[in-house]
Amino acid sequence: MTQRTTVKTQVAIIGAGPAGLMLSHLLATAGITSTVIELRSREEIHRTVRAGILEHGTVNLLVDSGVSDRVLREGDKHDGIELRFNGESHRIDFKDLVGEAVWLYPQTDVFADLAARREADGGDVRYGVTDVSAEDVETNPRVLFTDVDGTDWELQAEFLVGADGSRSHCRSRIPEAARRRYFHEYPFAWFGILAEAPHSSPELIYANSPHGFALISQRTETVQRMYFQCDPAENLAGWDDDRIWAELRRRVNGNGFELKEGPVIDKVVLPFRSFVQEPMRHGKLFLAGDAAHTVPPTGAKGLNLAIHDVKVLFEAFESFFRSGSTALLDGYSGGALDRVWKAQHFSYWMTSMLHQLPAADDFERSRQLGELRSVVSSRHGRAYLAEAYTGWPSA
Ligand code: PHB
C-alpha cells in the first residue's frame, strides 16, 4: 500500500483551465475551500493558443468577481462582426441589434489573470500532478494523485468537480448506464495561423467562399489570428507563407478589400467536433466546461459556456454551504444543459452556414447563399445571430 498524505477540502476540482480556476476563485470569495489539481504545468497551459472572444457576461464575471480589469484595459471591445459572402461584406451590428458587445481577449490571458489571482490569494492549485484518479464519486469523493515532488496524496472532499477538459478523466467516472454521449463529426478542420501584420479590418470577418471558410481575427496591433477551412488530415509542412496567403486571399479578398499580410509565426490544424455528455452531474461529481461539452469554434462559444457552467455551479455550492439546500445543486445539470444545447445549435448553424461541405452540389451551394441572404437582409435574422454571439441572458 502506498503511504498517502491525506488532505480535506470542501470542493475538489480537477483541471486548472479557466473553468476550474474561476470556480476555485468564486468559491474563495464565499469562504468555501477548494483544491485544484492539474496534469499540465502552468507554463504549458499558458503556451496553448486558444480562441479569443468573450461574451459580455463572461467579462462581467471576471471584472465583478475581482479577477482582473485587464480585460477592460487591454481587451478590444467589438460592437459587431462582418459576414462576407459572394465577395461582399455584411455587418452584424451587435450594439444596434441587441445593445451588447463582445471583447477580444485571448483565453490565454483569461488563464493568466485567474492563475495570478488564485496565487495572490493563496489558493491551493497544484500544477503538474500525475496518476490522478477520482474515487467514490457517488457518495464520498476522493482524488488520488502524485504531486510534482513525487508525494502521493489523497484529497477528500464533499464535492468533486471535473473541469478537466475535452479529454476528461472525470466524465468517464460516470457509469455508462447513467450517462448519454452525443457526437457530431465534421468533414473539415481549421488551419490556424498567427501572423505579424497590422489589422486588416476593425472587426472580425467570417467569410463563406466557394473555396471554403475563412476567419480573419486579431490578437494585437501587430499580430493577427486567422483561420481557413482545411482537410482534417492537412499536413502543416506543405504550407509555406506564400501558399497560406494565396489561400486566404482567394477566400476573402475582392471588391476593394485586401488582407494585410506578413510573416506567419505559428501554424496549427484544429480538428473540430460537437460533443455533449448528459447529465452533467452524478452523485457528488459535477462536470463543467469542455469535460461535458465541446463546440466547433465558429460561434466562439467554448470558453463562454465553460464560464457560464461555473457561475451556475458556484451559485449552487454557495447556496448549499450557506443553507444546506440542495435545490440549486439538483438543478445544475438541467440548467447548464439548456444553454449548452442552445450553443450547440448556434455553433453548428454558424459552421454549416459558412463552410463548404466536400460533397456539396450546386443546390446545396445556392441554398447556403440563400440562407446567408435571409440572415443579413432581415433585422430579425441579424438580431438572432447578434443575441447568440454576444451571449443569451442568463436564465
Ligand atoms: C480567435 O480569435 O481565435 C477566434 C475568434 C472567433 C472565433 C474563433 C476563434 O469564432
Side-chain angles (χ1 to χ4, degrees):
M1 271 287 288
T2 324
Q3 273 300 317
R4 291 191 176 271
T5 312
T6 304
V7 61
K8 283 190 179 17
T9 189
Q10 286 171 295
V11 182
I13 301 171
I14 304 189
L21 291 182
M22 186 73 196
L23 180 61
S24 176
H25 167 69
L26 291 172
L27 291 170
T29 64
I32 302 166
T33 60
S34 66
T35 292
V36 188
I37 61 165
E38 165 65 53
L39 293 170
R40 293 166 298 171
S41 69
R42 189 164 163 179
E43 296 67 38
E44 201 180 333
I45 310 177
H46 194 77
R47 270 200 311 273
T48 320
V49 181
R50 304 292 289 268
I53 291 288
L54 304 185
E55 296 174 0
H56 53 94
T58 304
V59 170
N60 291 347
L61 190 64
L62 288 170
V63 176
D64 295 348
S65 70
V67 172
S68 164
D69 59 4
R70 195 160 71 100
V71 54
L72 299 179
R73 282 181 282 117
E74 293 175 30
D76 262 334
K77 188 168 178 230
H78 283 237
D79 290 327
I81 54 168
E82 282 189 6
L83 290 188
R84 192 166 165 84
F85 57 95
N86 257 346
E88 280 177 23
S89 287
H90 304 262
R91 181 153 192 263
I92 310 291
D93 185 335
F94 300 154
K95 206 169 159 191
D96 169 52
L97 292 160
V98 292
E100 294 293 357
V102 294
W103 270 258
L104 191 110
Y105 189 68
Q107 184 168 330
T108 310
D109 291 308
V110 175
F111 167 76
D113 292 348
L114 281 160
R117 184 65 212 253
R118 281 284 58 214
E119 189 177 18
D121 290 347
D124 187 6
V125 184
R126 308 185 189 197
Y127 300 94
V129 306
T130 52
D131 299 314
V132 174
S133 162
E135 308 291 333
D136 297 337
V137 302
E138 277 169 37
T139 48
N140 257 321
R142 293 178 299 123
V143 184
L144 311 181
F145 67 95
T146 305
D147 70 16
V148 268
D149 303 321
T151 307
D152 296 312
W153 294 85
E154 176 174 317
L155 176 61
Q156 300 172 348
E158 290 181 56
F159 296 101
L160 170 63
V161 175
D164 50 347
S166 56
R167 295 199 197 96
S168 175
H169 157 75
C170 291
R171 72 165 170 248
S172 45
R173 305 308 300 200
I174 302 184
E176 246 179 273
R179 63 164 152 86
R180 177 144 190 212
R181 288 182 174 174
Y182 302 82
F183 288 98
H184 183 79
E185 303 279 348
Y186 299 82
F188 39 73
W190 278 8
F191 195 111
I193 63 160
L194 284 173
E196 282 173 353
H199 291 162
S200 287
S201 138
E203 294 178 340
L204 271 59
I205 302 174
Y206 288 79
N208 168 307
S209 93
H211 307 290
F213 171 76
L215 169 59
I216 310 306
S217 183
Q218 314 172 350
R219 279 298 175 269
T220 65
E221 289 298 322
T222 54
V223 175
Q224 311 309 320
R225 182 82 167 145
M226 303 182 193
Y227 303 92
F228 59 89
Q229 176 185 347
C230 69
D231 190 281
E234 195 65 68
N235 179 8
L236 285 177
W239 291 83
D240 61 13
D241 288 20
D242 287 347
R243 187 171 172 214
I244 289 171
W245 287 114
E247 193 56 48
L248 279 164
R249 251 182 256 133
R250 69 176 186 148
R251 297 187 190 202
V252 296
N253 279 9
N255 282 338
F257 177 78
E258 256 184 48
L259 280 174
K260 301 226 169 47
E261 304 175 11
V264 174
I265 53 174
D266 188 68
K267 300 185 256 190
V268 65
V269 172
L270 302 169
F272 58 87
R273 63 174 191 172
S274 302
F275 168 76
V276 180
Q277 176 167 312
E278 293 182 354
M280 287 170 61
R281 179 224 182 139
H282 182 72
K284 298 283 178 77
L285 167 63
F286 294 79
L287 301 178
D290 284 5
H293 43 76
T294 50
V295 287
T298 328
K301 283 281 160 271
L303 173 64
N304 294 296
L305 267 188
I307 295 293
H308 185 266
D309 287 351
V310 153
K311 178 171 179 273
V312 177
L313 189 52
F314 160 66
E315 286 162 3
F317 282 138
E318 195 275 328
S319 160
F320 173 80
F321 285 112
R322 185 173 31 82
S323 70
S325 164
T326 60
L328 294 186
L329 286 173
D330 294 340
Y332 169 67
S333 179
L337 284 166
D338 181 70
R339 193 179 186 89
V340 165
W341 280 109
K342 279 162 51 175
Q344 285 293 353
H345 167 66
F346 177 65
S347 307
Y348 173 93
W349 175 66
M350 287 285 279
T351 301
S352 64
M353 181 167 67
L354 291 165
H355 290 67
Q356 297 305 328
L357 284 170
D361 56 14
D362 287 352
F363 172 83
E364 174 53 22
R365 171 94 195 117
S366 295
R367 184 208 62 77
Q368 200 183 44
L369 293 173
E371 181 178 12
L372 281 159
R373 282 201 306 278
S374 74
V375 173
V376 301
S377 64
S378 146
R379 185 172 174 90
H380 300 291
R382 294 194 305 276
Y384 168 74
L385 197 159
E387 184 183 39
Y389 195 95
T390 57
W392 303 278
S394 206

